Amino acid sequence: LINSHPVKSNKRDQEWTNILAQELTEADDFKGLYRVFKNRTAQFVSTIGIDGIFNDLKRACKDRLILAFLETIPFASQPLESSFAQLDTLLALAPGVQVIDKTWGFGVIKRLDHFYKRITIDFCGKAGHNLTFATASESLALAPHDHILTIKANQPEELKRLIKEEPDKLVKLTIKCYGRMPIPKLEA
């Protein structure tokens, strides 16, 4: 309902949205409250502030892992949209999820530890690597199914076929994944 209703600035809509947020907080409905806050960010920043949003999210959450995610993200020291983007990244992570790290490349999530606030990832060439939730929220991205590293990990025969039969398509895919690059780097 909240996603289908256009954002308006009239007082009645704001009152109803505040009541909805209050009810979701009291019902411990973290997912619903998070959707409302993301959909009506400007309204809630102006009424309860970033600290209020953070505190209400913590109050509505009973999952220790999500609470650890929330405690890791610097809500007060960055734009709220950045905090939400980091939280979205962390919420998408689970054992078996394939990710790409800016430094380590392709990996598979093995374990999430709410106590130590760490993620264990098996990267190609570095199994069992640990990242803090803070680092993971900034450097990990879900691996798209059509990324060259995902294809290499999940469909090695398809990659070999592209190398042998369609090198032009492979070059285009590589440029799509990494952007323009010098030929020596592309050859590597």
Side-chain angles (χ1 to χ4, degrees), residues 9 30 33-34 37 47 60 66 89 120 129 143 147 155 162 183:
S9 61
F30 171 82
L33 183 62
Y34 183 51
F37 282 158
T47 57
I66 296 174
T89 297
T120 303
H129 186 67
H147 193 283
Q155 303 169 329
L162 285 172
I183 290 175

Side-chain angles (χ1 to χ4, degrees), residues 25-37:
T25 303
E26 291 171 11
D28 300 330
D29 184 350
F30 171 82
K31 288 182 181 179
L33 183 62
Y34 183 51
R35 279 194 302 265
V36 170
F37 282 158

Side-chain angles (χ1 to χ4, degrees), residues 2 7 13-25 32-54 56 80 84:
I2 193 73
V7 176
D13 279 352
Q14 289 179 357
E15 289 171 359
W16 280 104
T17 304
N18 288 338
I19 291 169
L20 175 61
Q22 204 170 20
E23 291 295 321
L24 291 169
T25 303
L33 183 62
Y34 183 51
R35 279 194 302 265
V36 170
F37 282 158
K38 282 181 69 174
N39 188 271
R40 306 292 173 112
T41 300
Q43 173 184 338
F44 285 103
V45 167
S46 68
T47 57
I48 63 173
I50 292 174
D51 287 340
I53 290 170
F54 173 74
D56 283 355
L80 192 56
F84 284 163

Side-chain angles (χ1 to χ4, degrees), residues 125-184:
K126 183 147 174 101
H129 186 67
N130 289 310
L131 292 176
T132 64
F133 288 167
T135 300
S137 71
E138 295 172 357
S139 69
L140 291 182
L142 297 180
H145 73 282
D146 61 346
H147 193 283
I148 192 164
L149 294 177
T150 308
I151 294 169
K152 180 180 178 184
N154 296 333
Q155 303 169 329
E157 294 304 317
E158 173 63 11
L159 186 60
K160 287 177 186 175
R161 188 193 69 73
L162 285 172
I163 291 168
K164 190 175 185 178
E165 298 174 16
E166 299 183 73
D168 58 324
K169 188 174 180 182
L170 181 63
V171 169
K172 288 177 184 176
L173 176 62
T174 304
I175 291 171
K176 176 184 166 201
C177 295
Y178 293 106
R180 292 177 171 247
M181 63 182 75
I183 290 175

